[in-house]
Amino acid sequence: QLYTYYDLVDKHEKCNAKISKVEEENGKVLAEKKKYEVFNKRLRLRSKQQKADMSRMEKQLEDMANELAQTKLQLAQAKTQQDHSDALLKSISDKNDAEKITRRSSHSFAQTKAQPTAEQNEIMPRRNSWWP
């Protein structure tokens, strides 16, 4: 089959138009690819930052757990000391109460000197040392 000059020029123009269209689409694809590469790079960076943040948070959580355990231990020690102090205080209080009871029971009523009432003082005034 023989092609005329105009047929060849026509085919050449069609090919050039296709090449232009493909290059234009290729440009769009490359731009889209660049956009996704930038997006992917940002995601990787964000992921790296999140991993670092997560690691830092895990360390903080571990520190807080250790601090909580230390506080619980101190609280248990304080509670033990408080219980010991309460028991000692109760023991001393019971001992003092027992001593008071034994002191009261050991005193006889004859040993105590009764003080005169105001009425008795009016009836029988006390003697002064200068009065004969």
Side-chain angles (χ1 to χ4, degrees):
Q1 184 175 4
L2 293 173
Y3 292 104
T4 63
Y5 173 77
Y6 296 108
D7 290 335
L8 291 175
V9 169
D10 210 24
K11 275 191 175 208
H12 183 62
E13 285 178 1
K14 284 181 183 178
C15 281
N16 280 342
K18 256 187 179 178
I19 289 172
S20 294
K21 193 174 185 182
V22 167
E23 285 177 348
E24 186 181 316
E25 286 177 17
N26 194 26
K28 287 179 185 178
V29 168
L30 288 175
E32 194 77 15
K33 179 183 174 191
K34 184 70 174 168
K35 187 171 94 174
Y36 280 110
E37 285 174 350
V38 169
F39 181 71
N40 196 14
K41 189 176 181 181
R42 285 183 186 161
L43 280 179
R44 279 195 207 124
L45 182 63
R46 191 178 307 151
S47 175
K48 198 175 189 180
Q49 287 173 341
Q50 286 175 346
K51 283 179 184 176
D53 289 346
M54 185 67 93
S55 176
R56 185 175 39 81
M57 284 186 212
E58 285 173 349
K59 175 82 170 101
Q60 286 176 342
L61 184 61
E62 186 179 320
D63 291 345
M64 291 171 100
N66 289 338
E67 200 173 314
L68 179 62
Q70 194 71 20
T71 304
K72 283 182 178 180
L73 180 64
Q74 290 172 351
L75 183 63
Q77 289 172 342
K79 178 83 172 116
T80 303
Q81 288 175 346
Q82 179 68 37
D83 291 346
H84 180 69
S85 296
D86 289 347
L88 192 60
L89 190 62
K90 186 174 181 349
S91 161
I92 292 170
S93 176
D94 290 348
K95 184 179 176 185
N96 286 346
D97 289 347
E99 286 177 5
K100 284 180 186 175
I101 290 171
T102 55
R103 266 192 256 135
R104 284 184 194 152
S105 63
S106 67
H107 287 289
S108 66
F109 289 107
Q111 290 175 340
T112 60
K113 190 173 182 182
Q115 295 294 324
T117 63
E119 196 174 297
Q120 289 172 339
N121 280 339
E122 284 179 17
I123 297 170
M124 286 177 53
R126 291 187 184 190
R127 289 187 173 192
N128 291 332
S129 61
W130 55 270
W131 190 265

